[in-house]
Amino acid sequence: MSVTKTNTFMQAGSRGKSRRGRTPSIDMEKIENAVREVGAQMEDISMKDVADYLGVNVTTLYRHVGGIDGLRRIRASLSRSDLPALPPAKGHTWQSWLKVLADYYRQALLQHPDLLDFVQAALDPDFLNLEQEASILVKFGFEPRAALLAHSFLITTITGYVQQELQTIEEARSGYAPYYSRLFQNLDAHPDRLPTLSTVNLSQRDLDRDVNFKSIIHYAIAGIACQKGAPSDPDKKL
């Protein structure tokens, strides 16, 4: 994405150079602050934007972070720190809790798309969320391995959905009809060309992203329930 640079980044570096007469020293704390400040003003960040803010050249920044992926990891880590705690399981069955958990992760990824680049590595770098989720699922009656697989399947499903969801949002912003909107147009114009799909009787409700997400998660949970090691009592509540 092409972004017009503001004077803020250049001024930050210029002040540092004029005050010290040499390239300012940087550390991870300063880099994290720069990523936070630069990232607040644009959807994507670049090595040059952050280097300009810090008043150093790109090579100096590269030595500290190893490239743009390093900066994006820092940004994802900062986003992770803004997320609320995992939703409690008290009063839920395992199915209803996974639905709440799925919505928690979906909202986190929609609000912080930079997390999608690294997903679990960014969402749970120290594995504490995974431990907490697995522990809760075991209390519901999952075998430990089945709990781990359930988490993995759920995260993979959510990630794929959100990636498509963000693409649909971007297409709509750009004035390009999203995939399923084009399907509607084709069904209206040429129903005989798509006879099987024409029998589905699609409506505008089928374009509702929230409704579709609930349907996808319903299918995912139904699949998890069929796996070896899933709870034998689906009605158990914590």
Side-chain angles (χ1 to χ4, degrees):
M1 178 179 293
S2 176
V3 179
T4 302
K5 305 297 188 296
T6 65
N7 290 333
T8 304
F9 305 150
M10 295 303 296
Q11 288 172 352
S14 298
R15 286 197 297 270
K17 289 182 179 180
S18 62
R19 185 170 59 245
R20 302 184 185 188
R22 59 183 176 81
T23 301
S25 62
I26 60 174
D27 54 30
M28 287 308 297
E29 183 177 354
K30 291 179 180 178
I31 293 171
E32 288 178 359
N33 180 64
V35 169
R36 183 183 292 107
E37 294 297 324
V38 174
Q41 300 183 43
M42 54 184 60
E43 291 186 17
D44 201 2
I45 58 176
S46 71
M47 293 286 287
K48 187 176 187 307
D49 291 330
V50 176
D52 286 347
Y53 184 91
L54 291 166
V56 300
N57 58 45
V58 171
T59 301
T60 299
L61 180 60
Y62 183 89
R63 293 194 188 104
H64 285 76
V65 300
I68 187 62
D69 279 350
L71 284 185
R72 287 173 176 160
R73 283 183 182 277
I74 291 172
R75 189 179 191 185
S77 177
L78 293 173
S79 295
R80 171 67 184 91
S81 66
D82 294 335
L83 298 181
L86 288 176
K90 185 176 180 180
H92 283 285
T93 64
W94 72 264
Q95 298 101 321
S96 66
W97 183 66
L98 283 188
K99 290 177 182 178
V100 173
L101 187 65
D103 191 61
Y104 165 87
Y105 281 123
R106 178 195 176 205
Q107 294 304 322
L109 294 173
L110 285 174
Q111 293 168 17
H112 304 282
D114 45 293
L115 290 171
L116 275 171
D117 289 335
F118 308 102
V119 193
Q120 294 192 68
L123 284 168
D124 191 23
D126 50 12
F127 308 105
L128 293 180
N129 277 4
L130 179 58
E131 170 63 26
Q132 184 179 352
E133 288 178 39
S135 174
I136 290 171
L137 290 175
V138 167
K139 290 177 182 177
F140 276 121
F142 277 85
E143 294 179 4
R145 179 176 292 276
L148 183 61
L149 291 174
H151 164 86
S152 178
F153 182 56
L154 190 68
I155 285 290
T156 301
T157 302
I158 296 165
T159 301
Y161 185 87
V162 172
Q163 286 175 331
Q164 183 63 50
E165 188 173 14
L166 289 171
Q167 181 179 336
T168 298
I169 293 171
E170 184 58 33
E171 287 177 348
R173 286 175 180 169
S174 302
Y176 184 72
Y179 180 79
Y180 283 103
S181 294
R182 300 199 304 276
L183 173 60
F184 268 67
Q185 295 167 5
N186 275 267
L187 289 174
D188 287 341
H190 309 287
D192 295 339
R193 192 169 66 85
L194 303 169
T196 303
L197 295 177
S198 296
T199 65
V200 178
N201 295 321
L202 294 172
S203 68
Q204 287 300 315
R205 179 177 172 80
D206 293 297
L207 296 179
D208 188 304
R209 293 184 287 111
D210 294 335
V211 172
N212 284 332
F213 182 73
K214 290 178 181 178
S215 297
I216 292 294
I217 296 304
H218 176 78
Y219 274 103
I221 291 174
I224 291 171
C226 296
Q227 301 307 306
K228 180 181 178 180
S232 57
D233 181 5
D235 299 321
K236 179 180 179 180
K237 294 183 179 181
L238 296 187

